[in-house]
C-alpha cells in the first residue's frame, strides 16, 4: 500500500512525464515549422517515450492499489531562439526531471518503501542516458553552429531515430 504522500508524489511525476511529452511535441512543432524534419522526428520519438514514462507511473500506481489522478498539463513555449536553444532546452529539462526522480527516490527511502524504490531505479538509469544523450546533441549542434551544411547533415542523422525505446 502506498502512503498518501508517495501516491501524491507518484501522480505528480506522472504529470511531469506527460508535460515532458507535450514539451517535446511543442519543440517538434517549432522544428517542423522550420523544415528541420529530422530534428522534429527525433523530438516526436522523444515525446512518445515520455508518454510511455507517464504510463509506467500510471501502471505502477494501479499495481500498488492507488488511483492515478490526471492533472492539467502545462502548455509548452511556442518559440525558441534557435535549434541550439531547443536542444539546450531538452538538456535543461532532463536535468529537472532527474531532480524530480531523485526526490522521489529520497521519499521512497525515507518511507522504507522498497517496492517504489525498486520501481524508480529504472528511471534513475534512464535519466543518466537521457542527460548524456541531450548533452551530446547540445555539443554536436554547437559544433555545427550557423553552417547550413552541418545542420543539414545533423538533421539527417537525427531523422534516423526510431521509436520503440522506453
Ligand atoms: Fe521521462 Fe526524459 O524523462
Amino acid at each position: 500500500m502506498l502512503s498518501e504522500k508517495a501516491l501524491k508524489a507518484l501522480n505528480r511525476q506522472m504529470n511531469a512525464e506527460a508535460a515532458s511529452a507535450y514539451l517535446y511535441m511543442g519543440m517538434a512543432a517549432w522544428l517542423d515549422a522550420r523544415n528541420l524534419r529530422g530534428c522534429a522526428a527525433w523530438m516526436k520519438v522523444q515525446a512518445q517515450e515520455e508518454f510511455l514514462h507517464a504510463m509506467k507511473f500510471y501502471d505502477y500506481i494501479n499495481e500498488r492499489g492507488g488511483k492515478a489522478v490526471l492533472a492539467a498539463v502545462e502548455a509548452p513555449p511556442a518559440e525558441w531562439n534557435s535549434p541550439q536553444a531547443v536542444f539546450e532546452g531538452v538538456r535543461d529539462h532532463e536535468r529537472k526531471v532527474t531532480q524530480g526522480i531523485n526526490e522521489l527516490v529520497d521519499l521512497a527511502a525515507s518511507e522504507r518503501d522498497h517496492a517504489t524504490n525498486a520501481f524508480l531505479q529504472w528511471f534513475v538509469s534512464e535519466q543518466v542516458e537521457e542527460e548524456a544523450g541531450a548533452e551530446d546533441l547540445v555539443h554536436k549542434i554547437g559544433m555545427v553552429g550557423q553552417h547550413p551544411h552541418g545542420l543539414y547533415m545533423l538533421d539527417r542523422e537525427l531523422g534516423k531515430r526510431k521509436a520503440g525505446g522506453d
Side-chain angles (χ1 to χ4, degrees):
M1 184 79 178
L2 290 166
S3 73
E4 208 167 306
K5 204 170 167 189
L7 179 59
K8 261 196 189 151
L10 288 164
N11 267 313
R12 201 163 42 238
Q13 190 61 32
M14 178 179 73
N15 180 266
E17 300 289 345
S20 300
Y22 216 45
L23 170 66
Y24 294 142
M25 217 171 128
M27 288 174 167
W30 188 89
L31 293 160
D32 259 330
R34 277 149 195 83
N35 286 315
L36 289 166
R37 305 288 183 205
C39 292
W42 187 95
M43 213 56 85
K44 284 181 226 175
V45 173
Q46 185 76 4
Q48 285 170 358
E49 289 191 0
E50 297 302 347
F51 186 70
L52 291 176
H53 294 174
M55 289 308 294
K56 276 183 192 279
F57 279 95
Y58 176 99
D59 288 337
Y60 179 71
I61 289 167
N62 274 287
E63 248 178 344
R64 295 294 308 278
K67 182 176 188 296
V69 179
L70 278 69
V73 174
E74 200 184 325
E79 287 299 331
W80 282 269
N81 289 331
S82 62
Q84 174 146 8
V86 170
F87 285 99
E88 285 170 355
V90 175
R91 178 201 56 200
D92 296 347
H93 184 73
E94 289 303 330
R95 285 179 180 165
K96 267 199 265 170
V97 174
T98 299
Q99 220 178 320
I101 297 290
N102 287 343
E103 283 167 14
L104 266 177
V105 172
D106 287 344
L107 174 65
S110 75
E111 292 191 341
R112 302 176 62 81
D113 181 348
H114 303 300
T116 298
N117 202 334
F119 164 74
L120 291 168
Q121 292 311 308
W122 183 90
F123 286 92
V124 171
S125 306
E126 174 71 7
Q127 282 313 117
V128 173
E129 274 179 40
E130 295 254 315
E131 279 198 44
E135 194 68 58
D136 185 56
L137 285 178
V138 168
H139 182 69
K140 277 187 182 149
I141 208 158
M143 285 194 302
V144 163
Q146 297 300 313
H147 302 293
H149 184 69
L151 189 56
Y152 171 77
M153 296 300 287
L154 185 62
D155 191 59
R156 267 179 49 152
E157 186 191 323
L158 292 188
K160 292 179 190 153
R161 182 179 186 188
K162 297 265 179 284
D166 283 309

